[in-house]
Amino acid sequence: MNANEIKAYSNGKKNGVKVFVAGSYEALSKKAASIVAGAISKQPEFVLGLATGTSPLGLYSELANLNHEGRVDFAGVTTYNLDEYYPIDPANDQSYRYFMNKNLFNNVNIDMDKTHVLYGQAPDWKEECAKYDAEIEALGGIDLQVLGIGNNGHIGFNEPGNDFIWETHRVELTESTIEANSRLFNSADEVPRAALSMGIGNIMCAKQVVLVANGPKKAEAIKAALEGQITPWCQASILQLHPDVTFILDEDAASALEEYKAI
Ligand code: GLP
């Protein structure tokens, strides 16, 4: 594929997950940004669900470019992030609040008071989670949720396990996630052992979902999510049941797919 190319993939079934494969990370990010910006432009009072991680960094910088070019306006946008480490000081440069300010919120014309990240120092995490869910519900739910995916198929911090947990909750991180996320800390010992995360219900109730993934480490998780059984052992697999999901991948992340083919 050439670097600017985007191919639509299909598994031949109707109403399936929409899959696009891009020839480069830049093309993937531009495609994702055009979907998100297009949705915001249709509905100025917009509730946008956001993800952290390295995968959406290109999307966020493209959104900032579009904002500077006057092609998308964040003035009426309210955001809710998927997750935050717990405990963590929001001023810590490893917190997801810090990440969002640096990589998106400081770079667009959003009202900071309309940006929401779970508070990593909440004295009572149950109260913090319940308040988050109530606020989202009061706004009529999330219009579009951006997702990345963990190497183990997690979305937000919904880790593989016996259940799909529906509402915002506290999570004990798995060793594999601590290990994967330690690349952003000085050492694995510094990675918080827990997090607060939106649940699968928050994500499934979003009207639209856009998942971005790149690199070979994501190939197995993407295959399990799109072509595997729907199981809490791959939390992203539940997205097969969502009516409006788009996966935007690079060729490496798409490389294990067998049922989905370029059309
Ligand atoms: C973290 C986040 C997820 C993110 C995942 C993948 O654990 N909680 O929301 O999708 O990592 O991160 P990356 O995009 O850096 O691979």
Side-chain angles (χ1 to χ4, degrees):
M1 273 179 95
N2 86 45
N4 299 326
E5 218 175 328
I6 305 274
K7 280 185 183 159
Y9 269 45
S10 166
N11 64 354
K13 293 182 192 154
K14 262 192 185 169
N15 308 323
V17 174
K18 294 179 272 295
V19 177
F20 291 101
V21 179
S24 63
Y25 179 65
E26 197 190 344
L28 173 164
S29 301
K30 284 194 167 147
K31 177 74 182 169
S34 79
I35 294 175
V36 174
I40 293 173
S41 301
K42 276 194 215 132
Q43 190 186 321
E45 292 294 313
F46 199 81
V47 184
L48 180 61
L50 293 169
T52 50
T54 48
S55 313
L57 280 174
L59 159 63
Y60 295 156
S61 85
E62 285 300 331
L63 285 174
N65 291 340
L66 293 175
N67 185 239
H68 294 153
E69 290 163 11
R71 288 159 67 195
V72 63
D73 183 6
F74 280 82
V77 175
T78 301
T79 66
Y80 281 86
N81 259 78
L82 280 169
D83 48 14
E84 177 61 286
Y85 290 115
Y86 188 76
I88 199 162
D89 181 343
N92 183 320
D93 63 4
Q94 294 301 334
S95 78
Y96 286 171
R97 163 51 80 179
Y98 186 98
F99 174 103
M100 289 311 304
N101 288 354
K102 178 174 173 216
N103 294 302
L104 183 65
F105 302 150
N106 289 342
N107 312 329
V108 294
N109 70 325
I110 200 161
D111 174 353
M112 270 296 177
D113 292 341
K114 290 186 176 174
T115 69
H116 302 89
V117 181
L118 285 150
Y119 181 41
Q121 288 186 313
D124 180 341
W125 62 265
K126 282 190 186 158
E127 197 179 290
E128 175 67 11
C129 293
K131 191 177 82 176
Y132 211 65
D133 286 344
E135 280 179 25
I136 294 171
E137 201 182 321
L139 286 170
I142 291 168
D143 292 306
L144 185 151
Q145 177 67 53
V146 173
L147 294 178
I149 186 168
N151 298 346
N152 62 8
H154 74 221
I155 45 179
F157 267 132
N158 293 282
E159 295 279 36
N162 288 316
D163 301 301
F164 290 113
I165 301 177
W166 216 243
E167 55 288 310
T168 302
H169 59 290
R170 179 189 163 125
V171 188
E172 305 308 315
L173 301 180
T174 62
E175 280 308 318
S176 80
T177 296
I178 291 168
E179 178 58 33
N181 289 7
S182 67
R183 69 189 194 280
L184 304 169
F185 289 78
N186 292 326
S187 75
D189 294 343
E190 287 185 13
V191 185
R193 265 42 197 168
L196 304 181
S197 178
M198 276 191 200
I200 290 297
N202 302 89
I203 297 168
M204 290 300 282
C205 290
K207 293 173 193 85
Q208 186 178 358
V209 176
V210 173
L211 183 148
V212 286
N214 61 293
K217 284 191 180 153
K218 300 294 167 69
E220 283 308 316
I222 291 295
K223 182 178 171 52
L226 288 173
E227 298 181 348
Q229 274 185 357
I230 298 169
T231 162
W233 294 98
C234 173
Q235 294 273 322
S237 63
I238 200 166
L239 296 171
Q240 293 175 35
L241 300 176
H242 191 287
D244 189 355
V245 186
T246 307
F247 275 43
I248 309 175
L249 312 172
D250 71 355
E251 288 184 280
D252 285 333
S255 61
L257 293 175
E258 290 170 279
E259 292 164 24
Y260 274 86
K261 302 226 175 347
I263 45 174

